[in-house]
Amino acid sequence: MMKRILLIATGGTIASRYTENGLSPQISGEELLSFVPEAKEFCRTDVISPFSLDSTNVRREQWLDLEKVVEDNYDSYDGFVICHGTDTMAYTAAALSYLIQNSRKPIILTGAQRPIDLPVTDARTNLLDSLRFAAHERAHGVCIVFNGQVIAGTRAKKERTQSYNAFSSINYPPIAVIQEKRIIFYIDDIDQVKDEIVFYHDLNQKVFLYKLIPGSDGKVLKLLLPDYDALIIESFGVGGIPAYEENGIAEALKEWKEAGKMVVMATQVTNEGSDMSVYQVGQTIKDDFDLPESFDMTLESTVTKVMWILSESRDPQELKRLFYKTINHDILFNNNL
Ligand code: ASP
């Protein structure tokens, strides 16, 4: 039986044309499909377009819209392909990984570095690969398909602004690779999806990401406190907090904790993750404030996971449990609890 796929067109470069003011999304979902006529050989595709944006403008509202489109159409299709701008695709893929859990059907995000109607473009390959992967019996869950790689939705990072290999799979192998018509799985685990699918309908936007630079101090953290429910600190290396006399970060963190807010440690180094137990500048502060840390999770996953868990609970122990729970391959190094 031919697979039924829902193409969800949301804009991005893949669907953009040149205007006086630069590229902007103009190409409809139907037009996108017309560039990959070969897809008719293996799937029947319908199109829906909940919004058409440069992904710079995609945020919580659009993530919840996408969740709803998938939920409303879940029983009618075998798979979903979301065409999306590349700039925030890793965030959307991570957010959808938390909003839609235990899916035995594939929910694929793709896009391109060049518009689909240019003579030289990666768009046609990415779209065709995505449809092919979405039509595969063993594809499942939220993934990004890009430049011949299938990356778990929680493991992607945009690492190149121009090249076709824009995305990397961080601290985790790609799920599969696609070479022409061949799909080679490295992680073939659909049989391990035992739980029922769960759709979530909320995310808490009040999450602030604070990137440390040498000399950062705690003043701004005190100012942010009333407006945010969680603070993620992008620290250096495996993780530490500057603690010299006039710096005041530890003092500000104390106020955040006393106010019942969540504080999470992450690292600004992309690969290999955090481990605050290594250095005194990390271990002391982690113990003093009982700070959860991102370990091998990407920053995109850390941010959207905190948005998700804060919409579920405010109890610190429950928040910590959910934060360290592995969802769509997002964290491996969570066994030190
Ligand atoms: N600015 C574009 C977007 O994210 C870039 C892209 O799609 O590649 O929508």
Side-chain angles (χ1 to χ4, degrees):
M1 263 269 282
M2 257 219 187
K3 295 285 183 182
R4 295 201 60 191
I5 308 293
L6 183 62
L7 181 78
I8 306 171
T10 74
T13 295
I14 191 169
S16 287
R17 289 205 168 96
Y18 290 96
T19 70
E20 274 178 11
N21 307 312
L23 285 166
S24 89
Q26 315 260 330
I27 300 173
S28 70
E30 287 80 4
E31 277 178 274
L32 288 176
L33 264 188
S34 72
F35 285 93
V36 288
E38 311 92 304
K40 289 202 192 86
E41 292 165 18
F42 56 83
C43 64
R44 281 203 290 135
T45 311
D46 294 327
V47 176
I48 189 169
S49 182
F51 53 88
S52 182
L53 294 172
D54 189 300
S55 77
T56 305
N57 289 323
V58 171
R59 55 205 185 277
R60 175 185 171 276
E61 285 69 19
Q62 285 71 32
W63 298 337
L64 297 177
D65 283 353
L66 287 172
E67 180 285 321
K68 189 169 178 345
V69 169
V70 174
E71 184 173 359
D72 289 350
N73 291 283
Y74 197 76
D75 294 334
S76 312
Y77 292 91
D78 300 304
F80 301 85
V81 172
I82 303 171
C83 288
H84 192 286
T86 62
D87 289 345
T88 63
M89 191 190 293
Y91 283 96
T92 300
L96 290 177
S97 298
Y98 299 116
L99 289 170
I100 308 171
Q101 297 184 27
N102 314 320
S103 173
R104 294 180 59 86
K105 296 182 181 181
I107 300 155
I108 308 303
L109 288 108
T110 197
Q113 292 283 56
R114 307 274 177 277
I116 203 161
D117 64 355
L118 293 190
V120 178
T121 175
D122 52 339
R124 287 192 285 274
T125 309
N126 287 346
L127 181 54
L128 191 60
D129 282 354
S130 299
L131 291 165
R132 198 182 296 287
F133 189 69
H136 195 286
E137 282 298 330
R138 301 194 66 79
H140 70 96
V142 179
C143 304
I144 287 181
V145 170
F146 211 92
N147 194 46
Q149 288 209 92
V150 181
I151 300 174
T154 56
R155 290 293 184 170
K157 183 176 279 292
K158 184 171 179 180
E159 288 202 309
R160 290 180 183 78
T161 58
Q162 313 277 345
S163 310
Y164 288 173
N165 59 342
F167 288 93
S168 304
S169 185
I170 305 298
N171 300 332
Y172 205 72
I175 302 290
V177 290
I178 306 171
Q179 296 162 347
E180 297 287 334
K181 292 183 180 177
R182 273 195 340 144
I183 294 172
I184 301 155
F185 276 88
Y186 295 143
I187 297 169
D188 181 4
D189 62 348
I190 191 164
D191 302 329
Q192 285 167 34
V193 187
K194 304 265 191 248
D195 294 333
E196 283 297 299
I197 186 159
V198 191
F199 295 99
Y200 293 88
H201 305 108
D202 201 9
L203 293 167
N204 183 330
Q205 177 72 52
K206 291 184 172 176
V207 175
F208 194 89
L209 177 63
Y210 181 52
K211 185 170 193 151
L212 293 182
I213 60 168
S216 289
D217 65 36
K219 274 189 230 106
V220 72
L221 297 183
K222 292 191 179 203
L223 296 174
L224 292 168
L225 178 57
D227 290 330
Y228 290 91
D229 292 332
L231 173 70
I232 300 170
I233 300 183
E234 241 190 301
S235 177
F236 312 115
V238 286
I241 289 285
Y244 40 82
E245 271 151 44
E246 73 276 24
N247 145 290
I249 295 185
E251 197 189 311
L253 293 190
K254 190 159 173 273
E255 287 184 22
W256 277 71
K257 294 295 281 187
E258 280 169 2
K261 314 263 172 139
M262 188 174 188
V263 180
V264 173
M265 289 294 294
T267 173
Q268 36 193 277
V269 180
T270 305
N271 288 291
E272 300 175 0
S274 72
D275 183 354
M276 294 188 71
S277 65
V278 177
Y279 295 99
Q280 201 177 21
V281 285
Q283 202 184 107
T284 316
I285 199 108
K286 181 170 171 155
D287 291 348
D288 285 354
F289 296 114
D290 190 23
L291 301 179
E293 62 177 304
S294 57
F295 290 120
D296 57 296
M297 262 191 282
T298 66
L299 200 66
E300 290 82 345
S301 290
T302 304
V303 167
T304 52
K305 194 174 199 177
V306 171
M307 288 179 174
W308 167 61
I309 62 181
L310 278 174
S311 72
E312 286 295 295
S313 177
R314 281 304 166 85
D315 171 58
Q317 284 318 308
E318 177 62 359
L319 287 174
K320 202 166 166 186
R321 188 190 69 79
L322 286 171
F323 184 72
Y324 284 133
K325 186 177 174 208
T326 303
I327 295 166
N328 194 20
H329 312 284
D330 64 349
I331 185 165
L332 290 168
F333 190 65
N334 60 356
N335 53 1
N336 68 336
L337 294 169

